[in-house]
Amino acid sequence: MSSPAPTTVDPTLSAHTTLRLGGPASRIVRAEGAAEVVDAVAAADRAGERVLLVGGGSNLVVADAGFDGTAVLLAGRGIDHERDGDRVLLTVEAGEDWDDVVAATVADGLGGLECLSGIPGRTGATPVQNVGAYGVEVADLLVDVDLYDRRTGTVREHVPASDLGLAYRTSVLKGSDDAIVLRVRFALHADGRSAPIRYGELARTLGVDPETRTDPAAVREAVLGLRRGKGMVLDAEDHDTWSAGSFFTNPILPTDRAPQVDGLAAWPAGEGRVKLSAAGLIQNAGFGRGHAGPGGRVSLSTRHVLALTHRGGGTTADLLALAREVQGGVAERFGVTLHPEPVLVNCAV
């Protein structure tokens, strides 16, 4: 039986990104399930068209010129549970809203994902970016993924997490469009306890010691509160949330090359290496909250300097100009190059 024809929608990419920026795609197709994703991508490949996968658009910075090709909106839904001893295997379709997934696991008393509450986007993007927050990464919980391999035109099921090159905010899937995530599987705690609380700010908010496992619902509420305080929970009326989240990754450097800055947060990152706070570097380079870019149309968030925000009426060129200003200021002051975390489509910093 053939799959239903994918639904064609308005091609303006700004309508499909949390920044509300970006020009048109040649065509946008809304794929309601894995089979439709495969059909849409295969059709584009046969036509020799480029393909852009769009989930919630929370990790995309799209050029004002747009995208010359087919953009496929991931809209497939579905969540399945399977008990496996003292854990539950959770299988999630790529188009599921990520925070809805986290909320559902917490409501079911499953532990593991609660620290990743409030992160916008679709589930299929989480292994691509190795999404992480508050001491937890997708890599900690991911079992495997199902992929569509564009090179062979086949679906590969149960590709183990160990094959994905998961590292800090990256994977072998990032920056390559040869393989497309169709669904994702996680192993979660079935004992009603959270993942160990490893992030100091979160432990203090909860009033627990580091490494404590506690009520996932309490952790979720604490994380959402912390994220709201930083403008990191989507709200259409709040321009501080018109962003792509943290714009720069925390740089990892050899310890002997790391700048010494009073009060700068830093974490061990393997033998002889240290991870530095990008936000701390930005602040110490003289960029405060609300620092405005061209014409005030873009700015650093008024609550969190690591987010570059669209204040309305702006362009992607405005946003990139602000990013380059911040990047250049940090490089000049500390000799450290900050690298963007979002996927840049037809543009660069």
Side-chain angles (χ1 to χ4, degrees):
M1 181 181 295
S2 62
S3 303
T7 303
T8 302
V9 296
D10 188 299
T12 307
L13 285 168
S14 59
H16 304 287
T17 67
T18 52
L19 274 163
R20 280 91 166 164
L21 294 174
S26 301
R27 186 169 69 110
I28 291 186
V29 174
R30 180 180 173 88
E32 301 287 350
E36 290 190 20
V37 172
V38 171
D39 288 349
V41 173
D45 286 343
R46 288 192 298 270
E49 297 175 353
R50 298 168 64 205
V51 174
L52 174 67
L53 273 293
V54 182
S58 60
N59 67 327
L60 294 179
V61 179
V62 181
D64 296 312
F67 178 73
D68 182 17
T70 297
V72 179
L73 300 182
L74 301 179
R77 306 295 296 273
I79 304 176
D80 290 322
H81 301 76
E82 179 184 349
R83 188 71 184 234
D84 180 27
D86 61 353
R87 65 180 190 168
V88 168
L89 295 179
L90 187 78
T91 301
V92 187
E93 296 299 308
E96 281 281 356
D97 179 86
W98 175 248
D99 192 55
D100 287 349
V101 172
V102 177
T105 64
V106 170
D108 288 340
L110 302 177
L113 298 179
E114 55 284 328
C115 286
L116 303 180
S117 293
I119 296 174
R122 299 291 186 265
T123 299
T126 62
V128 177
Q129 295 277 114
N130 188 20
V131 165
Y134 294 99
V136 172
E137 292 182 331
V138 161
D140 300 331
L141 303 149
L142 186 67
V143 176
D144 60 43
V145 299
D146 293 351
L147 301 172
Y148 174 58
D149 188 332
R150 295 173 66 189
R151 295 166 298 183
T152 62
T154 59
V155 174
R156 299 168 56 201
E157 297 184 339
H158 299 286
V159 178
S162 58
D163 288 356
L164 301 181
L166 297 166
Y168 175 61
R169 300 301 177 269
T170 193
S171 72
V172 297
L173 301 171
K174 186 173 181 180
S176 171
D177 56 6
D178 288 338
I180 294 170
V181 177
L182 301 176
R183 60 186 59 86
V184 183
R185 293 178 189 83
F186 301 99
L188 305 183
H189 304 295
D191 60 0
R193 310 300 283 175
S194 70
I197 305 302
R198 298 194 172 103
Y199 197 82
E201 182 184 25
L202 180 58
R204 291 190 296 273
T205 299
L206 289 164
V208 301
D209 294 328
E211 299 299 323
T212 296
R213 298 182 64 216
T214 186
D215 176 18
V219 176
R220 174 172 167 78
E221 288 308 307
V223 167
L224 288 173
L226 290 170
R227 290 183 66 87
R228 286 191 187 100
K230 299 172 183 177
M232 292 297 211
V233 176
L234 292 182
D235 179 349
E237 302 302 317
D238 181 359
H239 283 271
D240 273 339
T241 73
W242 289 27
S243 78
S246 297
F247 195 89
F248 295 107
T249 58
N250 293 323
I252 297 175
L253 301 171
T255 304
D256 59 2
R257 288 176 46 199
Q260 301 302 305
V261 182
D262 288 343
L264 180 66
W267 305 271
E271 186 174 355
R273 298 176 72 79
V274 63
K275 181 193 297 182
L276 303 179
S277 166
L281 291 170
I282 291 168
Q283 289 174 319
N284 279 281
F287 300 99
R289 298 175 184 177
H291 177 86
R297 298 179 294 272
V298 296
S299 77
L300 302 186
S301 167
T302 65
R303 286 172 278 183
H304 184 43
V305 296
L306 203 48
L308 274 63
T309 68
H310 176 204
R311 314 312 291 190
T315 65
T316 301
D318 293 335
L319 190 84
L320 296 175
L322 176 59
R324 293 185 191 108
E325 180 189 5
V326 172
Q327 188 184 56
V330 170
E332 182 178 0
R333 176 69 176 81
F334 299 112
V336 175
T337 299
L338 296 180
H339 296 284
E341 182 171 331
V343 175
L344 306 184
V345 180
N346 286 351
C347 57
V349 174

